[in-house]
Amino acid sequence: EPINILSKGKTFLKVPISNKDYRESKITITNLDLVSPPDKYLKRIKEESKLVKAASSTVSRRFHSSLKLFLPTEGNKSSEFGVKRFINNEPRNRHTGLDLAAPIGTQIISPLSGKVVLVGDFYYRGKTVFLDHGGGIISTYSHMNKISVEQGQLIEKKEIIGEVGQSGRVTGPHLHWQIILLGVPVDPELFLELAL
């Protein structure tokens, strides 16, 4: 069935929804604290989750004439959006971003101008940056080795924001890149200037 898009209580667009088959990914994490965190980490994880939720739902009045994004780092696609994850053979949430495998220290650049709305070193995400691109579009960059921007900073398209790393819950160095639209993660590849 289609989803009805409403404006002032009236349907102005009907969007058909179809099923899509996603592949499965099975990974092994040797640090079991990152699989099932001990109680001492739960408060930290809960506080970080609130910060992430608030940053993800930012809707600013900054708008852009183009939403075509530049690839944020040179790397190989190691996991696409929507993959069903199994960690140590236990089913987990689907993958909500695009993973780009690259050596530690590879530069990460902003794919569009924006404002830094969150910077942190999180339990699962590791060193992470959230950028607000206006109109409810947020991009996130996780597992970084180095962060080169500060919260509140305005940045231009293709400006360096940090380096690829392997901080947080990872099996190797890569960038976990998310695009969030009005609080909902969407496939970053839909926005790329050039297809991967």
Side-chain angles (χ1 to χ4, degrees):
E1 285 201 16
I3 290 178
N4 295 326
I5 308 297
L6 305 177
S7 176
K8 298 178 182 176
K10 294 184 178 180
T11 300
F12 74 93
L13 183 64
K14 291 188 176 184
V15 180
I17 303 296
S18 58
N19 289 324
K20 181 175 179 180
D21 290 325
Y22 292 98
R23 71 177 181 88
E24 293 182 353
S25 171
K26 297 185 178 182
I27 61 175
T28 300
I29 302 290
T30 54
N31 182 350
L32 297 182
D33 282 0
L34 290 170
V35 179
S36 299
D39 290 347
K40 64 180 179 179
Y41 294 119
L42 297 182
K43 183 180 178 184
R44 173 187 171 185
I45 291 169
K46 188 173 183 179
E47 289 172 352
E48 290 173 356
S49 179
K50 287 180 183 177
L51 290 172
V52 166
K53 187 174 183 181
S56 298
S57 58
T58 301
V59 180
S60 73
R61 296 186 180 187
R62 294 160 47 85
F63 289 93
H64 297 274
S65 60
S66 172
L67 295 178
K68 290 297 184 183
L69 306 183
F70 197 79
L71 196 65
T73 195
E74 293 183 11
N76 297 316
K77 179 167 66 173
S78 56
S79 186
E80 66 275 20
F81 180 88
V83 171
K84 184 165 179 57
R85 282 282 173 88
F86 292 82
I87 298 178
N88 296 359
N89 291 319
E90 292 291 326
R92 296 299 172 107
N93 291 335
R94 289 189 180 274
H95 193 232
T96 57
L98 174 65
D99 284 352
L100 297 167
I104 291 175
T106 305
Q107 287 185 342
I108 300 169
I109 59 173
S110 175
L112 196 66
S113 61
K115 180 180 180 180
V116 180
V117 290
L118 184 62
V119 172
D121 190 352
F122 300 115
Y123 188 79
Y124 289 122
R125 289 176 173 263
K127 293 179 181 175
T128 297
V129 171
F130 280 61
L131 302 179
D132 169 23
H133 302 293
I137 296 177
I138 306 294
S139 63
T140 80
Y141 309 81
S142 299
H143 310 305
M144 297 168 73
N145 180 57
K146 177 183 175 184
I147 294 173
S148 304
V149 294
E150 297 178 353
Q151 194 148 333
Q153 183 176 340
L154 295 175
I155 57 174
E156 297 299 320
K157 185 173 183 175
K158 299 187 182 179
E159 187 172 336
I160 295 170
I161 60 174
E163 297 176 355
V164 172
Q166 55 181 3
S167 56
R169 185 169 70 184
V170 295
T171 56
H174 73 281
L175 170 65
H176 174 73
W177 180 40
Q178 276 187 308
I179 299 295
I180 300 170
L181 179 59
L182 297 174
V184 179
V186 294
D187 186 354
E189 291 193 67
L190 298 174
F191 298 86
L192 286 177
E193 287 179 347
L194 301 171
L196 284 174

